[in-house]
Amino acid sequence: MIEWIDADWLLSPDLDPMPGGSIGIDKDSGQIVEVRPSEAPPSTDGVTFLTPGLINAHTHLELYRHEPIPVENGETFADWILKVVAITREMSGEDRQQACEKSILEMIRTGTTCVNDITALGHSLSALSKIGMRGIVSPEFFFPFHAPQPDMTHIIEQFQFLKDRFKDHPLLQVGIAPHSPYNVTPNALAAVLETIDPAIVHIHVAETEAEAQWFETGGSSLDKI
């Protein structure tokens, strides 16, 4: 059975707008099976615009907050990161699950239908599966330079547990997220990637000036993390 959705404007995957039309969706598979142009001109009141689902390529669903985490005068990006870590450590499993679900519902309301997410303990996988959103989810790990010789067993086991749990899921895949080059040593990164087969490697590389400075000089405010 086909369900038809009408709109005054359609936006194709190659971003070409079509004035008016209908999209036919197979209700069993969820796939678009037909696109019909409209013979009538687009409406001028109450205009509807139908687009392909948006992709958010970098999410932290477990960190949903009503208000942003404040940055005081004189504080650095590293200070903000440490605040994020402190908040995350205080969250219960139920807190994380609820935060993920709120994040997902907000994205759906704004047109996002696929995510590339970083997770601490896997709660975003459960939330995405429950609501039915497509995505890749990567458990995150840290291994700073002052740490001893890396034993990555617990990280590899966590990844494998999540991958096995969701290996047959039609909408979800499991990646791995070494946080960044400034707090995951090359040896630790190699020890993980030589052992596992992730769908993607999701790493923070070039988000801020502090990161750029670290790459250029070998040091920045990020050294305190």
Side-chain angles (χ1 to χ4, degrees), residues 151-168:
D151 178 5
M152 313 308 291
T153 303
H154 67 292
I155 294 166
I156 293 168
E157 289 177 349
Q158 181 196 27
F159 166 83
Q160 201 59 54
F161 170 78
L162 293 174
K163 184 177 181 182
D164 290 345
R165 180 180 173 190
F166 290 91
K167 66 180 179 180
D168 297 322

Side-chain angles (χ1 to χ4, degrees), residues 72-148:
E72 307 298 335
N73 288 336
E75 288 188 331
T76 65
F77 175 65
D79 294 319
W80 181 83
I81 288 285
L82 292 173
K83 289 182 181 181
V84 173
V85 172
I87 290 171
T88 303
R89 286 175 177 168
E90 294 177 358
M91 297 176 70
S92 67
E94 184 178 354
D95 291 337
R96 294 172 188 269
Q97 184 75 18
Q98 290 179 356
C100 290
E101 293 180 14
K102 289 177 181 178
S103 297
I104 294 166
L105 293 175
E106 187 165 311
M107 286 192 296
I108 289 173
R109 284 194 293 269
T110 55
T112 297
T113 60
C114 181
V115 296
N116 181 30
D117 185 60
I118 290 178
T119 183
L121 300 173
H123 291 89
S124 53
L125 278 162
S126 299
L128 288 165
S129 179
K130 175 181 176 181
I131 294 175
M133 181 181 279
R134 185 183 303 275
I136 298 177
V137 177
S138 301
E140 186 174 42
F141 69 92
F142 301 80
F143 206 93
F145 284 78
H146 56 73

Side-chain angles (χ1 to χ4, degrees), residues 1-217:
M1 180 179 295
I2 297 178
E3 178 182 7
W4 290 94
I5 301 176
D6 303 319
D8 297 309
W9 291 88
L10 305 180
L11 186 67
S12 69
D14 58 7
L15 303 183
D16 287 333
M18 177 189 299
S22 303
I23 290 180
I25 300 175
D26 185 290
K27 296 190 72 171
D28 294 325
S29 67
Q31 300 292 315
I32 296 174
V33 294
E34 189 175 349
V35 177
R36 293 177 180 173
S38 174
E39 297 180 359
S43 169
T44 55
D45 10 279
V47 174
T48 56
F49 199 82
L50 186 61
T51 76
L54 302 176
I55 299 172
N56 191 325
H58 184 165
T59 61
H60 293 264
L61 299 179
E62 296 169 9
L63 297 180
Y64 177 90
R65 289 174 60 85
H66 292 290
E67 300 292 338
I69 298 171
V71 178
E72 307 298 335
N73 288 336
E75 288 188 331
T76 65
F77 175 65
D79 294 319
W80 181 83
I81 288 285
L82 292 173
K83 289 182 181 181
V84 173
V85 172
I87 290 171
T88 303
R89 286 175 177 168
E90 294 177 358
M91 297 176 70
S92 67
E94 184 178 354
D95 291 337
R96 294 172 188 269
Q97 184 75 18
Q98 290 179 356
C100 290
E101 293 180 14
K102 289 177 181 178
S103 297
I104 294 166
L105 293 175
E106 187 165 311
M107 286 192 296
I108 289 173
R109 284 194 293 269
T110 55
T112 297
T113 60
C114 181
V115 296
N116 181 30
D117 185 60
I118 290 178
T119 183
L121 300 173
H123 291 89
S124 53
L125 278 162
S126 299
L128 288 165
S129 179
K130 175 181 176 181
I131 294 175
M133 181 181 279
R134 185 183 303 275
I136 298 177
V137 177
S138 301
E140 186 174 42
F141 69 92
F142 301 80
F143 206 93
F145 284 78
H146 56 73
Q149 187 67 22
D151 178 5
M152 313 308 291
T153 303
H154 67 292
I155 294 166
I156 293 168
E157 289 177 349
Q158 181 196 27
F159 166 83
Q160 201 59 54
F161 170 78
L162 293 174
K163 184 177 181 182
D164 290 345
R165 180 180 173 190
F166 290 91
K167 66 180 179 180
D168 297 322
H169 199 286
L171 299 177
L172 299 173
Q173 299 180 67
V174 178
I176 194 71
H179 180 267
S180 61
Y182 56 82
N183 60 15
V184 175
T185 66
N187 287 343
L189 180 59
V192 171
L193 296 184
E194 288 171 0
T195 307
I196 67 174
D197 181 27
I200 195 173
V201 177
H202 189 173
I203 187 168
H204 301 82
V205 174
E207 286 189 308
T208 66
E209 291 183 6
E211 287 174 331
Q213 182 184 356
W214 188 90
F215 281 111
E216 292 172 358
T217 67

